[in-house]
Amino acid sequence: MNFRPVARDKDLVVKKLNDEVVVYDLKTNNALYLNETSALIWHLCDGNRSVADIRSELKDEFGLMVSEDFILFAIYQLRRDKLLSDSNEIDRYLKKFSGRWAIEKIGRVRLMALPSITSVTAPTAIAASCLAVPSRKGALKTAHV
């Protein structure tokens, strides 16, 4: 397994919030929330590091002892959410991945430590101009701005 994943850097707005990273995809209008583990792995996908190199870097720099399957699960999610550049080599290898397979393969890792990416579709401009604000009586009412 010698492929070297490359993080996509075009048409993205990236913002670090505490230990998480929010990535806004300008092409799809999706906001992706990467937990600390996913963000670290995504950052290490520079095209120069193999999966083994990423694993070693996580261990040496951050004290994270994880398996290559753990890294592959993160790469699978990053590729699924189009945060990695196109690569037929990665796609061929990742065909076997699924959430269930990864959890069984990774084993008894705490669920909180698993790489996680949450996708939220951003509203259109017209929908974003409509906010729900509390009224004096505690009920929500719609305010147009």
Side-chain angles (χ1 to χ4, degrees), residues 1 3 7 11 26 30 38 45-46 57 69 76 81 90 98 111-112 126 138 144:
M1 185 176 1
F3 64 87
D11 299 315
L26 296 170
N30 281 341
S38 292
C45 290
D46 62 1
E57 185 91 12
D69 289 323
Y76 164 78
D81 291 322
I90 290 174
S98 70
L111 209 49
M112 292 298 289
I126 190 72
H144 295 280

Side-chain angles (χ1 to χ4, degrees), residues 5-21:
V6 179
R8 190 177 131 217
D9 61 357
K10 302 267 191 263
D11 299 315
L12 298 175
V13 177
V14 180
K15 179 76 173 169
K16 185 168 172 44
L17 301 170
N18 299 322
D19 293 334
E20 297 180 339
V21 172

Side-chain angles (χ1 to χ4, degrees), residues 17-82:
L17 301 170
N18 299 322
D19 293 334
E20 297 180 339
V21 172
V22 178
V23 181
Y24 182 75
D25 189 330
L26 296 170
K27 286 184 175 182
T28 63
N29 292 328
N30 281 341
L32 299 163
Y33 296 88
L34 284 65
N35 70 359
E36 183 178 19
T37 308
S38 292
L40 286 172
I41 293 169
W42 186 54
H43 175 73
L44 294 172
C45 290
D46 62 1
N48 296 317
R49 294 178 178 98
S50 67
V51 172
D53 295 334
I54 292 171
R55 179 177 183 250
S56 178
E57 185 91 12
L58 287 173
K59 179 183 172 206
D60 295 345
E61 294 295 319
F62 305 103
L64 294 175
M65 301 284 289
V66 297
S67 67
E68 286 190 9
D69 289 323
F70 186 92
I71 305 295
L72 287 169
F73 181 60
I75 289 171
Y76 164 78
Q77 291 181 79
L78 292 165
R79 183 71 182 112
R80 177 198 65 204
D81 291 322
K82 299 179 179 22

